[in-house]
Amino acid sequence: MADVQEIRRQMKELQAAREEAFGPLLDVLEQRHTLQQQLAALDEPYAQAFVAAESAGWTTEELLALGAEEPARRPKGRTRRRNAASGKKASAPSSPAAQVPAQDAEGPAHKPTGIPSA
């Protein structure tokens, strides 16, 4: 059986090699975190610029076709535009009786057709 001290030395060598291999990954993770923070800081100004472009006459579809991405969150205080078809509801008649002309008792007498008058 191997000496306990020898096993401990081998274990520390393996662990050191693993830690060394992890170093470059840790560096890239740190860079990614920094870039993600920078990107998040640009979200609000980007959304404001996107809305300003729309206010200047660009449609969302045009901006997307040109390569812009729709902002994940729009600036507060602005609601999205709705299509005219989806934004408006058809007006329903108030009641069926309002569509039928009223029968007036004092109006001209109605004679049924096909019956001779006396």
Side-chain angles (χ1 to χ4, degrees), residues 30-46:
E30 184 178 12
Q31 290 173 359
R32 284 180 58 163
H33 179 71
T34 301
L35 291 172
Q36 286 171 341
Q37 287 179 325
Q38 291 174 350
L39 186 59
L42 292 173
D43 282 346
E44 183 67 22
Y46 179 80

Side-chain angles (χ1 to χ4, degrees), residues 40-78:
L42 292 173
D43 282 346
E44 183 67 22
Y46 179 80
Q48 291 173 351
F50 193 94
V51 168
E54 287 179 318
S55 296
W58 291 95
T59 66
T60 301
E61 292 76 22
E62 290 171 329
L63 293 170
L64 296 176
L66 291 171
E69 295 178 9
E70 193 164 1
R73 284 192 262 165
R74 294 207 173 236
K76 292 180 182 178
R78 183 193 183 280

Side-chain angles (χ1 to χ4, degrees), residues 74-85:
R74 294 207 173 236
K76 292 180 182 178
R78 183 193 183 280
T79 57
R80 287 186 165 194
R81 284 191 222 166
R82 294 184 180 190
N83 292 338

